[in-house]
Amino acid sequence: MKPYWDVNVLTGTKTAKIVEDPVQWASIIKKSIRPLYILGPDTVDRNIGDKLFLEYCLDVAKAGNLPICATAHVRKKMSEMGVETDSAYDIIEIINHLKDPEWQGVRKEGNHDLIMFTGVRCDLAERGLATLKHFAPHLKTMALCRFSHPNADFALPVIRKDTKWQEYFDGLVANLIN
Amino acid sequence: MSKNKEETLKIIKGEDAWEPVGPTPLPDITDLRNWSMRLLKTYKPFYAPFCDLCCNCTYGKCDLTAGKKGACGIDIATHQARWVLMQCCMGLSAHGAHGRHLIDYLINKHGKDYKIDLGLQVDVEAPIIRTVMGLKPEILGDLRTVIEYVERGLIHLVSSTHTGQEGHYLDFENKSLHAGMLDLLAMEAADIAQIAGYNYPTSIADTPLVELGWGAIDKTKPVILAIGHNAAPINATIDYLQNNNLEDKVEVCGICCTAHDVTRRSDRAKVVGHLARQLFFIRCGIADVIITDEQCVRTDVPEEATRAGASLIATSDKICYGLEDVTEKEIDEIVKMITEEKKQVLILDPDKAGEVAARVAIAIAPGRKKEFINEKTAMKLAKECNGCNLCSEACPNLLSVGKSVKEFADGEVDKLSETFKLCFTCGKCEQKCPKNIPIIKIMQAVATKETYKMRSGRGPIHDVEIRQVGSPIVLGTIPGIVAFVGCSNYPKGDKEIAEMMDEFARRKYIVVASGCAAMAAGMVKDKEGKTIWEKYPPGFEAGGVLNVGSCVANSHIAGAAIKVANIFAKLPGRANYECIADYILNRVGACGVAWGAYSQKALAIGTGFNRWGVPVVLGPHSAKYKRLYLSRKEEDDWNIMDGRTEKMMDEYVEPAPEHLAIVIESKERAIVSIAKYCIRRNDTPVGRQIKLNHYIALYKKYMGEGFPDDLHLFIRKPTDVPMFFKREVMDYLKKIGWKPRQQVGLPTLINTYPTKANIADIK
Ligand code: SF4
Ligand code: SF4
Ligand code: SF4
């Protein structure tokens, strides 16, 4: 499947598995031992409908008890909302750490086995996912992004409508809680 | 490659005893390899492949995904490193050939013995050439020697990218660092040549404020537009106009670096804008004649010029466009070919090209209609939009351009106007549009027509300025030198460059700009209607904002750092690369910012700065360069020697600078990080207090309350803690169990790895 942005079209052989069903997405997260949720600046710079993008992401993090890495300037909004982040590396820095299987992770409990991205600038996220695809065989990556990411292990299909995107989040939260 | 010592001394005029010849005159690829490897031990290469395949030879395509090797045995990391070297070599060759052309041309004009004189304020005329090669250039002929050395290096570098040559990514990186070093060398030679050969301003800081912006171009006059980087032809146009009293009758303007250099020749010339405004301005049809020279010129200029009804003169052997070479023809005949037969031509003699451009413009301008399209016409064109958003998908800057066009068709102007500010006018959206909507043409209606000001390029930093600021820079009381360089591939428009520069100038950093960044910064006005160029003083001083000039003038920024070591600290500089680079890495708080870097040249420049020990912050698009140099502050080797005792420090020493080449996603984050990357291990407690004061204040402004999670790594003793945050920080340090540690006397890496450099030199 072609990602939304032409610049992210894959030139390669190993491409993401598209997960259309939030139930399946939630079950992949649930099976992981030490997941990490990476939040990029789109989450604070955009709304989905009337609600800040970040609020959807924080609902997911809460439902799945996922540690957060707030990249770029996301930490500011989180602290204004009274939510603490587990770490605040920038996107390239966190990827650089994740490459090392011996790294102890943001909670110092060992490196993460599942990395989920939302709201990172799409061309940059795709480069980061490529780095992890080639140099971090010890972990799996999920792009929870409506524009779709071929370099992730698991990606969403392109979701064009805000309402569908909201539904996906709602489905995910409901299934993570269950 | 073995070198003949006598031959080396002959090339660098070793008998000329301005300083003793240091350990590495005319370094080959392997002579500074140990320095590269020492840097790469802390700042490890980070690769982000853009493509998982290799198709470099007929064994391929080879799939190199996640551990697979190619038919030649190469793996993905080494292949990325090879790519980066190829790209650095492209950048180096562009500057090298540019320098070669200018130097040969100016030698033809003035003779090889023409003296290089950079004015009363500049004695150390060529800090890079002196330090790298061991040569003190005195005449134009010496600059040709520099280019010959660069050319020799380049051939070896390119050869190692052939299949079955270099086989380790670290050695590819050493070669990229070497290419970057040669790149800065070639740029310095090129800029010195043009300053000397064209009498560009030098030894003055307050160079003229020139007009900037497409709105500044007087459409009622014949308009000549130069695009590219080599101002030889457009400078010849200026000469022709001046000699014939036509200067106020014809409008000369430029896009990209050639605009910088023509305004250094004549402050009546104007700057249309940076690289990303090329297609936009050509399509406006305001230029009567377009002169292309070299680098970063769109490959479809002939087609676009025809479409816009403009004449085209190509002037460089690098860009011939398939055009007829008319260099040998008489000027009258060429003018006739262009004006009557409507031919586009190639003229390889800059003087001839310059005159032809002027005469053609004067001849054809009265018959041309030159207007931006108005809102009504633009809306009519936009009405065809069906809202399919195929254009948006194609946008390399991820802009929702389709939505903006649709809204514009419905009468809503603001969104398209905002989109234009972020747009590179690359034209990819239009190609996808099933309705053939001329999106870039429509944008003419919403683009501002304001006039701005930019300070024209000033060339080298003065020795006197270095003597004045050397001490506060090294002690840390001037918190840093922040250099905004490179191209205009900005994630969020010109505004961010102006905002970043303003933030650091207000905080009394020394703020330097060059190339497209200097133009972008000028395209924004504050509440009082002033651009950054009008708001701040132009000197190399705390709170100064200066424009060194075009791309090749970037060399003066590295030159300033070298001069701090050589002039202020009196380190021997001649052929003493490692000592000077070590000094810069550990003691000169400088940080480059290439927020919109797009070209191979920008990659080479950045890599060159990295080898000198200067960290570079890149914007998000630059992840596509595929390689960065990153540390991991808690895990990596920060061991360092105290140069006074020559003992290794056994305590943890702060990660400063933390990275050498890093991509940062947002402007807010970048500002905080830049302040941190100006911290050096040599800072005195007072200097460290000032730097940390900015780091903490900027963190609180852009990242929220609390403290940076690495703050404790940069506090050696309580005296490092800024007064303003003292109590709060001390409480925080207590909470996290921080312990004081020693400050390093003379921090150095020399002798911590096998080197020919002499540690006595750094004392
Ligand atoms: S250079 Fe090597 S990896 Fe590339 S196509 Fe040839 S054999 Fe394959
Ligand atoms: S011209 Fe502008 S809007 Fe169109 S694709 Fe290029 S950057 Fe995007
Ligand atoms: S591709 Fe053309 S028709 Fe489709 S949204 Fe863009 S401008 Fe409109």
Side-chain angles (χ1 to χ4, degrees):
Chain A
M1 173 190 261
K2 180 192 162 295
Y4 182 87
W5 302 111
D6 290 2
V7 70
N8 281 350
V9 165
L10 181 74
T11 329
T13 53
K14 189 181 174 222
T15 187
K17 180 175 181 325
I18 300 295
V19 180
E20 302 210 20
D21 182 356
V23 178
Q24 202 191 343
W25 193 279
S27 88
I28 300 168
I29 296 176
K30 281 179 173 170
K31 275 188 214 140
S32 67
I33 300 163
R34 277 186 301 276
L36 175 68
Y37 194 13
I38 298 177
L39 297 179
D42 266 7
T43 62
V44 296
D45 295 344
R46 282 179 208 273
N47 279 2
I48 309 176
D50 297 333
K51 194 165 126 184
L52 187 65
F53 191 176
L54 178 65
E55 292 185 47
Y56 291 88
C57 303
L58 294 178
D59 289 347
V60 169
K62 200 166 158 206
N65 187 26
L66 307 174
I68 291 175
C69 175
T71 67
H73 50 282
V74 173
R75 183 190 182 274
K76 181 167 188 185
K77 190 78 209 171
M78 285 179 67
S79 78
E80 283 167 10
M81 291 165 71
V83 186
E84 278 208 25
T85 177
D86 295 83
S87 76
Y89 293 104
D90 204 20
I91 184 70
I92 293 290
E93 290 178 310
I94 185 69
I95 290 166
N96 194 33
H97 279 91
L98 289 166
K99 274 166 45 195
D100 174 6
E102 303 304 318
W103 182 55
Q104 287 305 298
V106 301
R107 286 185 177 165
K108 311 266 180 255
E109 294 163 347
N111 202 345
H112 305 277
D113 58 342
L114 183 79
I115 311 302
M116 189 160 77
F117 281 55
T118 300
V120 179
R121 194 187 149 97
C122 278
D123 48 2
L124 183 56
E126 191 61 21
R127 302 276 53 76
L129 290 164
T131 298
L132 295 174
K133 177 169 101 174
H134 288 284
F135 303 109
H138 47 276
L139 51 79
K140 293 272 180 243
T141 58
M142 304 182 93
L144 186 62
C145 171
R146 66 194 291 188
F147 298 108
S148 200
H149 284 275
N151 270 310
D153 289 300
F154 305 101
L156 298 181
V158 175
I159 301 176
R160 288 176 194 272
K161 286 208 168 77
D162 276 3
T163 46
K164 289 271 171 217
W165 188 209
Q166 286 162 324
E167 276 170 28
Y168 202 96
F169 270 113
D170 292 345
L172 188 54
V173 169
N175 283 285
L176 281 170
I177 291 169
N178 288 333
Chain B
M1 201 182 14
S2 67
K3 256 188 318 200
N4 176 325
K5 201 173 165 201
E6 258 172 52
E7 179 68 14
T8 299
L9 289 177
K10 203 170 128 204
I11 294 171
I12 65 164
K13 298 195 272 191
E15 77 289 352
D16 188 353
W18 48 277
E19 261 186 32
V21 178
T24 52
L26 301 184
D28 289 333
I29 289 172
T30 48
D31 286 335
L32 299 171
R33 180 171 179 257
N34 289 345
W35 170 249
S36 298
M37 294 301 181
R38 180 59 195 86
L39 287 177
L40 295 168
K41 189 173 163 216
T42 304
Y43 304 103
K44 296 179 180 63
F46 169 100
Y47 298 109
F50 212 17
C51 165
D52 303 340
L53 308 176
C54 175
C55 51
N56 272 7
C57 82
T58 68
Y59 276 154
K61 300 176 183 170
C62 295
D63 177 11
L64 305 178
T65 306
K68 290 197 192 93
K69 285 182 184 174
C72 63
I74 205 162
D75 62 21
I76 189 86
T78 313
H79 176 56
Q80 299 310 298
R82 174 170 60 175
W83 251 110
V84 172
L85 173 58
M86 283 193 248
Q87 291 180 315
C88 284
C89 286
M90 288 181 209
L92 162 61
S93 61
H95 287 137
H98 174 189
R100 162 62 85 173
H101 177 270
L102 268 178
I103 291 163
D104 284 349
Y105 170 74
L106 291 168
I107 285 177
N108 274 345
K109 238 187 168 51
H110 305 297
K112 77 171 177 37
D113 294 324
Y114 188 80
K115 280 251 173 301
I116 294 168
D117 177 4
L118 299 188
L120 290 173
Q121 309 295 330
V122 182
D123 275 340
V124 177
E125 73 304 297
I128 300 179
I129 297 169
R130 286 180 177 210
T131 311
V132 174
M133 295 175 67
L135 173 73
K136 179 173 183 269
E138 290 166 317
I139 52 173
L140 284 180
D142 290 337
L143 298 177
R144 187 139 73 185
T145 306
V146 176
I147 296 296
E148 280 160 5
Y149 165 69
V150 168
E151 288 165 346
R152 212 165 39 239
L154 179 62
I155 208 173
H156 289 281
L157 291 168
V158 174
S159 83
S160 64
T161 65
H162 190 278
T163 303
Q165 295 267 55
E166 187 52 77
H168 199 283
Y169 69 96
L170 285 177
D171 264 305
F172 272 123
E173 294 300 346
N174 168 55
K175 291 179 171 78
S176 291
L177 289 162
H178 194 78
M181 181 188 75
L182 296 182
D183 188 55
L184 285 168
L185 192 69
M187 293 198 296
E188 187 179 68
D191 206 50
I192 292 175
Q194 58 181 357
I195 292 170
Y198 284 122
N199 283 324
Y200 283 169
T202 170
S203 282
I204 51 164
D206 56 341
T207 47
L209 287 164
V210 294
E211 288 197 59
L212 164 71
W214 47 91
I217 311 304
D218 184 349
K219 303 190 290 285
T220 63
K221 292 180 184 175
V223 176
I224 303 170
L225 167 70
I227 311 175
H229 288 73
N230 185 335
I234 195 69
N235 282 350
T237 302
I238 297 283
D239 290 347
Y240 175 82
L241 295 173
Q242 283 175 350
N243 294 339
N244 292 280
N245 284 331
L246 291 166
E247 221 189 352
D248 54 359
K249 298 208 169 56
V250 177
E251 195 79 335
V252 173
C253 58
I255 286 180
C256 212
C257 282
T258 222
H260 273 294
D261 286 334
V262 71
T263 58
R264 288 163 92 183
R265 179 72 167 158
S266 162
D267 58 15
R268 295 165 79 158
K270 294 175 182 173
V271 180
V272 173
H274 51 58
L275 160 78
R277 295 298 177 222
Q278 210 171 137
L279 191 59
F280 165 75
F281 189 69
I282 295 176
R283 288 199 181 164
C284 289
I286 285 164
D288 297 296
V289 175
I290 299 170
I291 297 187
T292 59
D293 54 81
E294 57 179 296
Q295 303 158 42
C296 305
V297 186
R298 286 185 65 98
T299 42
D300 55 0
V301 171
E303 185 190 326
E304 292 296 337
T306 305
R307 191 164 153 180
S311 301
L312 171 67
I313 303 168
T315 63
S316 168
D317 57 358
K318 327 291 187 305
I319 310 182
C320 299
Y321 286 133
L323 301 176
E324 183 183 349
D325 180 358
V326 298
T327 312
E328 299 303 321
K329 292 191 194 294
E330 294 297 323
I331 288 185
D332 287 344
E333 194 186 343
I334 306 174
V335 172
K336 206 166 138 212
M337 282 173 79
I338 302 174
T339 55
E340 291 177 18
E341 298 164 37
K342 307 286 174 217
K343 285 210 164 144
Q344 299 178 333
V345 297
L346 172 67
I347 308 176
L348 295 170
D349 172 347
D351 297 326
K352 204 176 251 186
E355 180 174 341
V356 170
R359 289 180 47 186
V360 169
I362 292 166
I364 67 167
R368 292 186 71 240
K369 214 172 135 237
K370 297 184 281 189
E371 282 306 331
F372 294 105
I373 68 163
N374 61 31
E375 214 171 277
K376 201 169 147 211
T377 318
M379 276 183 185
K380 223 164 130 194
L381 291 168
K383 282 272 183 261
E384 289 297 307
C385 173
N386 64 13
C388 68
N389 278 327
L390 285 172
C391 52
S392 303
E393 291 181 24
C395 178
N397 209 17
L398 316 182
L399 303 176
S400 301
V401 56
K403 227 170 161 182
S404 312
V405 173
K406 188 87 186 90
E407 286 182 18
F408 180 71
D410 298 337
E412 175 56 61
V413 178
D414 291 355
K415 183 115 196 273
L416 189 64
S417 170
E418 282 310 303
T419 300
F420 175 73
K421 288 181 191 158
L422 315 186
C423 161
F424 314 142
T425 70
C426 69
K428 289 188 72 152
C429 47
E430 281 189 19
Q431 291 174 41
K432 273 277 197 88
C433 178
K435 297 283 186 181
N436 292 320
I437 293 176
I439 299 173
I440 293 174
K441 191 170 177 181
I442 288 173
M443 284 178 174
Q444 281 178 34
V446 298
T448 171
K449 310 295 181 305
E450 272 219 61
T451 305
Y452 304 88
K453 294 269 189 223
M454 183 193 78
R455 192 166 297 287
S456 65
R458 52 109 83 184
I461 311 308
H462 309 157
D463 299 13
V464 179
E465 291 173 314
I466 298 289
R467 282 192 191 96
Q468 278 163 357
V469 297
S471 167
I473 289 172
V474 173
L475 301 177
T477 48
I478 286 181
I481 306 167
V482 187
F484 292 84
V485 301
C487 341
S488 49
N489 198 4
Y490 301 127
K492 293 192 174 167
D494 301 341
K495 204 164 143 253
E496 290 196 331
I497 289 294
E499 287 168 351
M500 286 196 263
M501 285 174 69
D502 191 64
E503 182 76 69
F504 287 103
R506 261 192 296 129
R507 292 173 178 276
K508 302 284 182 206
Y509 287 68
I510 300 175
V511 178
V512 187
S514 68
C516 286
M519 300 176 189
M523 298 287 285
V524 180
K525 287 181 181 172
D526 67 7
K527 283 191 199 108
E528 284 153 34
K530 281 187 181 165
T531 67
I532 196 149
W533 299 113
E534 295 155 289
K535 200 168 155 189
Y536 292 100
F540 193 76
E541 60 188 287
V545 176
L546 46 147
N547 173 16
V548 281
S550 59
C551 279
V552 288
N554 277 316
S555 53
H556 305 310
I557 303 172
I562 298 166
K563 284 190 188 189
V564 171
N566 183 230
I567 298 177
F568 158 71
K570 299 195 169 56
L571 253 68
R574 188 175 194 181
N576 201 11
Y577 188 92
E578 284 167 85
C579 272
I580 298 280
D582 175 73
Y583 186 95
I584 295 172
L585 176 73
N586 289 303
R587 303 195 226 178
V588 180
C591 179
V593 185
W595 197 239
Y598 98 103
S599 68
Q600 296 87 357
K601 290 183 297 163
L603 177 63
I605 296 170
T607 307
F609 271 91
N610 293 159
R611 201 186 216 193
W612 282 112
V614 179
V616 177
V617 167
L618 299 147
H621 281 290
S622 295
K624 299 174 205 164
Y625 278 134
K626 313 171 190 71
R627 184 270 283 137
L628 299 167
Y629 294 138
L630 305 178
S631 83
R632 284 166 56 198
K633 54 195 164 206
E634 290 96 348
E635 286 88 356
D636 277 324
D637 178 3
W638 298 103
N639 284 335
I640 198 144
M641 186 180 277
D642 186 327
R644 281 189 300 223
T645 58
E646 295 190 34
K647 289 211 174 84
M648 291 302 288
M649 299 295 293
D650 49 8
E651 292 177 89
Y652 182 88
V653 180
E654 58 269 17
E658 187 181 347
H659 305 294
L660 275 188
I662 177 145
V663 161
I664 295 183
E665 187 172 1
S666 72
K667 170 203 77 184
E668 292 82 355
R669 179 81 181 214
I671 289 174
V672 180
S673 303
I674 292 162
K676 175 166 63 167
Y677 302 155
C678 288
I679 294 173
R680 288 298 174 279
R681 294 185 264 210
N682 194 62
D683 298 336
T684 58
V686 179
R688 184 61 63 88
Q689 272 191 36
I690 292 172
K691 292 185 183 189
L692 290 179
N693 190 44
H694 293 302
Y695 182 36
I696 296 170
L698 288 167
Y699 183 87
K700 287 182 182 289
K701 180 171 174 184
Y702 293 110
M703 301 288 289
E705 278 312 306
F707 293 111
D709 55 11
D710 55 6
L711 180 63
H712 59 290
L713 301 179
F714 299 102
I715 299 176
R716 298 160 298 192
K717 293 180 176 177
T719 45
D720 285 346
V721 178
M723 294 307 290
F724 189 77
F725 298 107
K726 191 98 185 182
R727 194 177 320 148
E728 221 187 326
V729 171
M730 291 313 293
D731 287 350
Y732 166 77
L733 291 176
K734 204 167 150 200
K735 202 171 95 196
I736 62 165
W738 166 87
K739 291 208 173 49
R741 56 178 196 274
Q742 287 296 315
Q743 186 189 336
V744 195
L746 287 180
T748 181
L749 293 175
I750 301 297
N751 279 7
T752 67
Y753 66 98
T755 175
K756 287 184 219 149
N758 186 353
I759 194 156
D761 286 348
I762 65 139
K763 293 187 180 177

